[in-house]
Amino acid sequence: MYTQTAPFADHLRVVPATRDVPEVDPNAIVLSGSDGDLTVGELDSWSNRLARLLLQDGAVPGAAIAIAIAAPIERLVAERAVAKIGAVAVLAGGLPARGARRGITTRHARPEADGAIDWLVLDDRTTLRRYLTGSDAPLSADDLPVLGRTA
């Protein structure tokens, strides 16, 4: 289940992490901010794309993933993507981010590099290209790695 985080919790409406809940209107606004509005459908598709990037980069269920993003919309998408792969979002206010080896950030918000966290930088050209060409289809059980499974 998705959990809210401060300081933007007063602007969030919590929705289930999966798309198969018929009572959730995909056009409903989840978050409004100075940069615009984020709908349920946008949150779902954007977080599916980001979840796939995390999986491609080796993230696994149960892993701690640091999030260092100032923009509320991008941070919510990152939190939802982490939840979709069964990992744990750790807000990276202070490093080290409680055992996180991977993280999601932007160039502006990226904490000073200490080598402990492998950052996925959302506004990096290579990341953007991967993100924009990735699938936004709902994740399935086949998309998620099973720990201990051999290929």
Side-chain angles (χ1 to χ4, degrees):
M1 183 73 177
Y2 178 76
T3 57
Q4 297 181 26
T5 58
F8 302 103
D10 58 328
H11 299 289
L12 302 181
R13 188 173 71 142
V14 178
V15 295
T18 59
R19 180 178 273 193
D20 58 342
V21 179
E23 69 271 9
V24 177
D25 177 5
N27 296 313
I29 304 297
V30 174
L31 181 66
S32 293
S34 60
D35 292 338
D37 295 333
L38 180 68
T39 66
V40 170
E42 290 167 335
L43 175 60
D44 194 42
S45 65
W46 294 359
S47 61
N48 287 338
R49 287 177 192 236
L50 185 54
R52 283 188 169 77
L53 285 183
L54 291 168
L55 292 169
Q56 289 168 7
D57 287 351
V60 295
I65 299 178
I67 297 177
I69 301 173
I73 289 176
E74 287 83 355
R75 188 168 68 197
L76 180 58
V77 170
E79 291 172 355
R80 181 59 59 93
V82 169
K84 283 184 175 192
I85 65 171
V88 178
V90 179
L91 296 182
L95 293 177
R98 292 182 267 175
R101 298 202 189 283
R102 299 194 179 285
I104 308 166
T105 191
T106 60
R107 280 183 271 169
H108 177 73
R110 184 177 178 171
E112 283 191 37
D114 67 354
I117 296 177
D118 182 18
W119 292 103
L120 179 64
V121 182
L122 295 178
D123 50 356
D124 175 79
R125 178 174 285 187
T126 303
T127 303
L128 282 171
R129 189 174 300 129
R130 291 174 56 210
Y131 180 78
L132 294 173
T133 59
S135 171
D136 66 351
L139 295 172
S140 70
D142 291 337
D143 293 315
L144 300 173
V146 177
L147 299 179
R149 176 174 68 183
T150 57

